[in-house]
Amino acid sequence: DAGITQSPRHKVTETGTPVTLRCHQTENHRYMYWYRQDPGHGLRLIHYSYGVKDTDKGEVSDGYSVSRSKTEDFLLTLESATSSQTSVYFCAISPARDRGGEKLFFGSGTQLSVL
Amino acid sequence: QQQVKQSPQSLIVQKGGISIINCAYENTAFDYFPWYQQFPGKGPALLIAIRPDVSEKKEGRFTISFNKSAKQFSLHIMDSQPGDSATYFCAARFGANNLFFGTGTRLTVIP
C-alpha cells in the first residue's frame, strides 16, 4: 500500500492501558494522517501532521495524541484506552504538492480491540 | 453531525448494470470532492475526484456528477463488474487537510 506500513496489524488491550500505533512511510510525503473507521461513521480524522514536529487536531482528537519526530514515522498514542476506542485505525499520507487532503494513500489498517 | 451524507448504505446491482451512489453536503466552503474505494481488509484507495467548478468528470467506467446548486454529487459506475464489489466512500475537503467522509456504501455486483 504505497509504501506505508502500519504496526501492529492487530492488537487487543485492556481498558486503561496505554497503546501506541505506528505508521511508517517510505515515500517521503509531507502530510501524514490518522483516521479511525467505525460502522455508521465512515472514516474520521483524529490528527494529522504537516511536517516534522508539526501536528494538528482533527474531528475526533479527544483521548489521542500524536508525535512525528521523523518524516517517515507518525505515532498515535491512546494514553488510557477506553472501549469506545475499539476501531480500525488507518494511517494515510499525501504529497506536499497538494494543499493537503488530496490524493491520500492509506495503509492497511490496525484493528484495535479494547476490552 | 455528519458533514457529508451518503446513500444508499448498501446496493446490489447485476453485472453490466449501472451503480449510482449519492452524497449531499451543506458546507459551501468544501472545495474538493473525492471518492474512495475500499476492499475488505484493505485501506481505502482514491478512485476519482472533482472540484466544484466542474459539473462532471469521467475516468473509464467511473463518472462523478456534481450539482453545486443542489450541494449534491454522485458516483456512477457503468457496466458494473463483480470486481467492483467493494465499499465506496464519498468525501469533501474543507480548507487544508480536513477531509470529511461519508458513511460508505457497500456495493455488491451479482454475476
Side-chain angles (χ1 to χ4, degrees):
Chain A
D1 289 309
I4 306 169
T5 303
Q6 290 187 233
S7 59
R9 290 297 313 276
H10 303 272
K11 186 168 182 67
V12 180
T13 191
E14 293 185 349
T15 299
T17 59
V19 176
T20 295
L21 308 183
R22 180 178 183 245
C23 178
H24 177 80
Q25 62 149 327
T26 58
E27 305 295 325
N28 200 36
H29 283 350
R30 176 183 178 184
Y31 300 107
M32 298 186 76
Y33 310 82
W34 278 107
Y35 281 87
R36 60 178 289 175
Q37 183 174 24
D38 305 287
H41 291 278
L43 293 108
R44 292 179 292 175
L45 180 64
I46 304 171
H47 281 278
Y48 66 93
S49 169
Y50 47 96
V52 173
K53 295 190 183 349
D54 292 323
T55 65
D56 206 348
K57 295 178 180 181
E59 186 184 359
V60 290
S61 59
D62 287 348
Y64 302 95
S65 62
V66 290
S67 66
R68 191 172 179 194
S69 59
K70 296 185 290 185
T71 298
E72 58 266 35
D73 290 325
F74 193 32
L75 303 181
L76 176 71
T77 298
L78 291 66
E79 301 291 347
S80 177
T82 67
S83 58
S84 64
Q85 293 176 311
T86 292
S87 185
V88 180
Y89 291 85
F90 285 100
C91 173
I93 63 176
S94 182
R97 62 178 176 271
D98 302 321
R99 281 202 296 122
E102 295 186 19
K103 296 185 181 67
L104 265 62
F105 299 94
F106 284 83
S108 295
T110 294
Q111 173 70 61
L112 176 67
S113 298
V114 183
L115 305 179
Chain B
Q1 181 184 356
Q2 198 70 30
Q3 296 266 2
V4 181
K5 292 182 169 58
Q6 183 172 346
S7 63
Q9 189 172 344
S10 63
L11 180 63
I12 300 174
V13 173
Q14 293 278 354
K15 178 183 175 182
I18 302 173
S19 303
I20 302 174
I21 304 171
N22 301 298
C23 286
Y25 64 96
E26 287 297 326
N27 189 344
T28 55
F30 285 144
D31 64 354
Y32 176 74
F33 300 87
W35 285 87
Y36 282 80
Q37 179 188 55
Q38 184 179 29
F39 293 104
K42 300 289 188 181
L46 179 64
L47 186 63
I48 187 172
I50 198 168
R51 299 186 192 278
D53 55 346
V54 176
S55 61
E56 184 175 282
K57 183 172 183 181
K58 184 176 181 179
E59 290 185 2
R61 296 184 294 108
F62 300 91
T63 299
I64 300 178
S65 296
F66 188 83
N67 186 329
K68 190 173 182 178
S69 61
K71 290 183 279 187
Q72 295 174 348
F73 58 111
S74 60
L75 176 70
H76 295 238
I77 306 174
M78 311 299 289
D79 187 26
S80 299
Q81 298 297 312
D84 297 330
S85 297
T87 300
Y88 293 82
F89 293 94
C90 62
R93 184 184 67 178
F94 172 72
N97 291 300
N98 286 302
L99 194 62
F100 294 94
F101 284 82
T103 51
T105 296
R106 178 175 290 184
L107 172 66
T108 302
V109 181
I110 300 171

